[in-house]
Amino acid sequence: APATALAERSAPKVTAQLPKNVTPDVGVSVGSSLAAGTVNEGKPVVDIYFDYLCVWCNRLETSYAEELTQRAKNGEITLVYHPLVVESQYEFSHTASASALWVAEHRPDVFAAYHNEIFAMTAPLFEAKEKVPVPQTAQLAELGKKAGLTDAEAEQMIADIAVGDGKPAMYSELLGQSLQQFSADGFTGTPTVLLNGKQVADWTDGKLSAALDALK
């Protein structure tokens, strides 16, 4: 049976405080409403571990974001997004992940839209012929507003995730523990895609769609 009740998943392995609408394994689930913290009960669970600045994560997003969002909306799957800080040399890797957790906690209704906006912003880094600069943390405010945050909420988000000592003020401990656990679980790179708890060895060229269709 699909491991869909997210409450049944492995016990919390992180000791940092979990924000609202974030699972014990530091994921953000979305069901048919696409709101953070919701599930489509009894349906297959797709977990995606990613970094917003990872080239293959962007390829996965480009290939499947629309389809996966639609499948969740249609009640076919529960999507669980796990932001990780893998490209840790970039401030944006830290703050983009922190901002996703912030939106999940404070404005769950716009989470999926916000997540997709971040990837839309980072995609040109991996497509352009000429070098495109890595986005700045401040630019996340505009993305938040595009997704539905008020001006005040966008400002608050940026204030909460402001960086000191190279890491965001909010959620940095949680994100650090999440990455440690990811490695402890034997995963080695991003993106890592799980289908009902089992790693999808190859998601390229439509294989993820085929794997989901096979579960119907």
Side-chain angles (χ1 to χ4, degrees), residues 54-204:
C54 138
V55 58
W56 283 101
C57 303
N58 270 268
R59 286 180 189 164
L60 174 72
E61 173 81 4
T62 304
S63 305
Y64 294 106
E66 210 171 301
E67 177 191 340
L68 290 172
T69 303
Q70 196 57 52
R71 283 183 188 258
K73 215 171 174 176
N74 293 348
E76 297 170 32
I77 61 171
T78 292
L79 256 178
V80 190
Y81 294 111
H82 301 264
L84 292 172
V85 181
V86 177
E87 305 292 338
S88 57
Q89 69 273 37
Y90 298 108
E91 178 184 299
F92 190 82
S93 176
H94 293 270
T95 52
S97 285
S99 73
L101 297 179
W102 192 97
V103 171
E105 179 171 16
H106 297 278
R107 279 298 304 277
D109 56 314
V110 303
F111 171 78
Y114 180 67
H115 166 83
N116 291 331
E117 286 288 357
I118 301 178
F119 267 124
M121 181 201 241
T122 56
L125 290 170
F126 309 104
E127 295 162 0
K129 302 285 182 284
E130 69 281 359
K131 202 163 167 54
V132 176
V134 172
Q136 299 297 305
T137 296
Q139 290 171 262
L140 291 166
E142 287 309 311
L143 297 191
K145 288 189 248 182
K146 266 172 96 173
L149 295 185
T150 65
D151 288 4
E153 286 168 337
E155 275 178 40
Q156 188 61 53
M157 176 180 80
I158 296 299
D160 285 347
I161 63 167
V163 166
D165 300 326
K167 292 181 180 171
M170 201 177 259
Y171 311 125
S172 65
E173 187 187 359
L174 182 65
L175 287 165
Q177 290 180 3
S178 179
L179 185 61
Q180 284 175 338
Q181 190 56 53
F182 178 74
S183 300
D185 288 340
F187 300 127
T188 52
T190 52
T192 287
V193 182
L194 309 182
L195 188 46
N196 287 336
K198 290 191 178 141
Q199 189 166 358
V200 177
D202 183 4
W203 49 262
T204 61

Side-chain angles (χ1 to χ4, degrees), residues 20-44:
K20 276 190 306 192
N21 305 317
V22 174
T23 63
D25 53 356
V26 195
V28 181
S29 68
V30 298
S32 57
S33 67
L34 301 184
T38 60
V39 299
N40 286 323
E41 209 55 65
K43 299 298 180 186

